[in-house]
């Protein structure tokens, strides 16, 4: 996937395949979407990662961005 980071469609394709095997890759895909300015898509991937993750610390590391995202969307 790293070899096609400049090709979003290809990158997403490879990362989605990786995330099916290891859901923690959804975090990486979410961060990629954040960097592209696609916060709604990023939220979807980060939520998928958090739902499948058993590491509470890794989930908690996403809290700041997730709270800010939902507040920006008017959700309290």
């Amino acid at each position: 996937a790293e070899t096609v980071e400049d090709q979003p469609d290809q990158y997403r394709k490879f990362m989605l395949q990786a995330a099916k095997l290891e859901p923690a890759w959804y975090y990486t895909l979410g961060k990629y979407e954040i960097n592209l300015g696609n916060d709604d898509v990023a939220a979807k991937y980060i939520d998928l990662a958090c739902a499948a993750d058993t590491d509470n610390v890794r989930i908690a590391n996403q809290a700041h961005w997730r709270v800010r995202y939902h507040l920006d969307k008017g959700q309290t």
Side-chain angles (χ1 to χ4, degrees), residues 16-31:
L16 286 170
Q17 290 174 352
K20 286 180 184 176
L21 300 173
E22 174 53 62
W25 285 110
Y26 281 122
Y27 292 121
T28 303
L29 189 52
K31 290 176 188 175

Side-chain angles (χ1 to χ4, degrees), residues 2-47:
E2 290 177 358
T3 63
V4 292
E5 280 185 354
D6 59 338
Q7 301 171 43
D9 290 335
Q10 287 290 0
Y11 183 81
R12 286 181 194 107
K13 177 183 166 187
F14 291 132
M15 290 304 293
L16 286 170
Q17 290 174 352
K20 286 180 184 176
L21 300 173
E22 174 53 62
W25 285 110
Y26 281 122
Y27 292 121
T28 303
L29 189 52
K31 290 176 188 175
Y32 179 78
E33 295 295 345
I34 290 168
N35 289 335
L36 292 178
N38 300 329
D39 287 355
D40 292 337
V41 177
K44 180 181 86 169
Y45 291 138
I46 292 172
D47 286 347

Side-chain angles (χ1 to χ4, degrees), residues 44-66:
K44 180 181 86 169
Y45 291 138
I46 292 172
D47 286 347
L48 285 170
C50 290
D53 203 342
T54 59
D55 185 337
N56 291 333
V57 173
R58 193 166 39 206
I59 294 169
N61 283 332
Q62 307 304 313
H64 182 265
W65 186 87
R66 292 173 83 198

